[in-house]
Amino acid sequence: MDFKLTEEHIMIRDAARDFAKNELLPGVIERDEKQEFPAKQVKMMGELGFLGMMASPEYGGGGMDTVSYVLAMEEISKIDASASVVMSVNNSLVCWGLDTYASPEQKEKYLTKLATGEKLGAFCLSEPEAGSDATSQKTTAIDKGDHYLLNGTKNWITNGGTADYYLVIAQTDREKKHKGINAFIVEKGWEGFEIGPKEQKLGIRGSDTHSLNFNDVKVPKENRIGEDGFGFKFAMKTLSGGRIGIAAQALGIASGAYELAKKYSKERKAFGTEICNHQAIAFKLADMHTQIEAAQHLVMKAAWDKDQHQNYDLSGAMAKLHASKTAMDVAIEAVQIHGGNGYVKEYHVERLMRDAKITQIYEGTSEIQKIVISRSILKD
Ligand code: CAA
């Protein structure tokens, strides 16, 4: 394992850091308050290549490695996790899924636009009764010869209202259980495809989360991804990589909260000295720093595994489990260090604390990560 960053890695990390500071920080509090999607900034992210970082250059992607991607995710998440979830879904779930498993025609038609950020993607697996239990898909896609007829509801879909192309997982043959599940590319605007109301969320409030309804939507046969019955594996493989991105997001939230708390502790005085001189605060910072460094190692290990073409199901799940707990723990402590100021919006840490929670829920809850980890370590 060699975690030494190359010059290119450092350049990408610095570009993401500058973008976050210059373009995302202004207005981040207001966007959170108004639940406003960062449309202008997402467009810029596309232009700068942050929306298709790992996708093949022949289809408009950046052809970068996973290490570059997690470095950029971390920097952007330090400032605005609502923007980084857009980036995460488009890169890890949508572009990676298509780049790896779609046909050349599908890549030409859809990936080229998604990887450049010209169009935005969404990944639609969760349902009202199938979030963690992903094999229990109620959405059906019935084979009608030259097309499938899609019916059902998807819930909590990131980019639900703003996406142009949707990867939808649906059951085509219930008898076959997970082997009867398929993944389809569905376009916004197709007849029978309705976007439900926007969710009112605790955190990542700038991101655009909706339920989606499919009522007899005709999906052309050529929009199925892979062989018949490949949909569940497609979702699992895609989510395994997605978890590395969310782990990097969690790491960024933790690092952002830690940096703010450290700075504040060196400025704020109480009992005649800066509060960092009190062990009560210094020890908190020591714990936060240690947890973050451990999370950073796990995130880099998972990214490195993926780049080395090694199995990353286990390392990705461990990275997500630990980094998301770190985000939660560190953000809560950052609020505590800020005292009363931590509880008001202008100091940012209350938002980071609210944003942190979702990293323990989406792309598999912490309990799901423990299922993946325990199955992996107990199998031999
Ligand atoms: N790679 C390839 N195949 C995999 C796999 C992986 N990582 N994980 C499972 N599979 C395969 C298995 O090998 C098995 O196939 P075979 O029968 O051919 O061997 C098949 O899938 C079924 O596997 P399991 O029996 O292990 O399935 P399970 O029902 O026990 O579920 C689970 C496993 C890990 C709990 C899975 O259901 C899961 O990950 N659930 C969570 C889903 C999730 O993350 N949802 C989040 C929604 S997306 C989101 O949040 C996006 C967003 O908007 C931000």
Side-chain angles (χ1 to χ4, degrees):
M1 251 182 303
D2 179 8
F3 289 163
K4 196 168 178 298
L5 299 183
T6 62
E7 269 179 34
E8 198 189 338
H9 288 143
I10 293 167
M11 222 171 67
I12 291 161
R13 186 196 61 194
D14 292 352
R17 187 176 290 170
D18 289 347
F19 173 75
K21 206 170 99 211
N22 298 331
E23 306 298 337
L24 290 169
L25 186 57
V28 67
I29 293 173
E30 294 73 19
R31 289 195 301 276
D32 170 74
E33 205 171 320
K34 295 185 202 147
Q35 296 221 89
E36 187 185 313
F37 183 76
K40 187 182 91 186
Q41 292 83 350
V42 168
K43 188 168 178 290
M44 288 176 81
M45 281 162 82
E47 287 159 4
L48 290 167
F50 287 127
L51 294 182
M53 293 181 70
M54 296 173 291
S56 306
E58 66 175 303
Y59 294 110
M64 293 176 217
D65 61 8
T66 317
V67 168
S68 303
Y69 169 57
V70 297
L71 290 169
M73 273 296 294
E74 184 186 346
E75 290 306 322
I76 288 176
S77 306
K78 281 183 188 174
I79 305 282
D80 189 350
S82 293
S84 72
V85 70
V86 178
M87 176 176 163
S88 160
V89 167
N90 206 69
N91 273 284
S92 305
L93 301 184
V94 179
C95 287
W96 188 86
L98 291 176
D99 203 17
T100 312
Y101 299 113
S103 67
E105 295 75 25
Q106 290 169 340
K107 290 186 200 184
E108 196 57 56
K109 186 166 179 193
Y110 296 108
L111 181 57
T112 45
K113 299 200 171 77
L114 289 159
T116 52
E118 188 188 326
K119 302 279 184 192
L120 204 57
F123 182 83
C124 316
L125 173 71
S126 300
E127 297 187 356
E129 289 171 63
S132 293
D133 182 7
T135 50
S136 295
Q137 297 286 298
K138 295 265 190 308
T139 298
T140 53
I142 305 302
D143 191 340
K144 295 285 180 186
D146 66 338
H147 68 273
Y148 287 89
L149 213 51
L150 186 65
N151 278 286
T153 299
K154 294 288 174 183
N155 266 28
W156 311 295
I157 304 303
T158 304
N159 300 342
T162 37
D164 304 280
Y165 303 143
Y166 298 75
L167 304 190
V168 181
I169 317 296
Q171 190 83 49
T172 47
D173 186 343
R174 201 164 296 287
E175 302 266 289
K176 292 188 187 160
K177 300 193 174 146
H178 68 269
K179 293 194 165 99
I181 290 177
N182 276 296
F184 302 94
I185 308 166
V186 175
E187 296 183 26
K188 180 186 252 162
W190 281 357
E191 204 178 331
F193 177 12
E194 287 167 10
I195 294 162
K198 187 166 170 155
E199 300 289 356
Q200 306 293 310
K201 304 195 299 287
L202 171 75
I204 53 161
R205 286 166 56 82
S207 75
D208 180 52
T209 313
H210 291 255
S211 56
L212 307 173
N213 298 314
F214 303 97
N215 304 305
D216 283 341
V217 178
K218 269 184 165 182
V219 182
K221 261 272 162 74
E222 64 264 22
N223 276 33
R224 188 187 73 209
I225 302 169
E227 293 294 306
D228 186 24
F230 180 63
F232 191 72
K233 290 221 169 170
F234 171 81
M236 290 300 111
K237 284 310 298 173
T238 305
L239 278 167
S240 275
R243 287 167 186 160
I244 304 175
I246 298 302
Q249 180 187 49
L251 176 62
I253 294 170
S255 306
Y258 165 75
E259 283 168 18
L260 288 169
K262 188 169 121 183
K263 181 168 176 288
Y264 183 83
S265 76
K266 289 178 158 189
E267 291 164 3
R268 173 79 175 181
K269 287 189 178 162
F271 304 103
T273 184
E274 287 78 14
I275 60 172
C276 64
N277 295 323
H278 298 298
Q279 279 192 341
I281 301 299
F283 284 10
K284 278 189 196 302
L285 290 167
D287 282 338
M288 291 154 84
H289 183 81
T290 306
Q291 246 185 305
I292 288 170
E293 188 135 336
Q296 204 147 36
H297 280 85
L298 285 171
V299 171
M300 288 300 263
K301 167 71 166 65
W304 185 84
D305 280 347
K306 186 159 177 284
D307 289 337
Q308 300 302 311
H309 309 290
Q310 298 189 20
N311 189 301
Y312 50 88
D313 295 342
L314 173 63
S315 53
M318 290 198 298
K320 182 176 184 291
L321 177 68
H322 182 74
S324 60
K325 182 170 186 320
T326 299
M328 222 33 234
D329 292 352
V330 168
I332 287 173
E333 287 295 57
V335 170
Q336 193 68 21
I337 290 171
H338 279 76
N341 283 329
Y343 210 63
V344 296
K345 291 191 184 295
E346 68 184 281
Y347 285 83
H348 297 281
V349 283
E350 65 82 32
R351 187 186 72 256
L352 292 168
M353 184 180 81
R354 288 185 285 105
D355 289 351
K357 187 62 203 168
I358 193 60
T359 65
Q360 294 186 302
I361 298 174
Y362 59 22
E363 298 199 24
T365 60
S366 296
E367 292 71 25
I368 290 291
Q369 308 316 314
K370 289 181 194 180
I371 291 178
V372 174
I373 296 164
S374 57
R375 282 182 181 176
S376 173
I377 58 177
L378 291 170
K379 75 172 179 250
D380 44 40

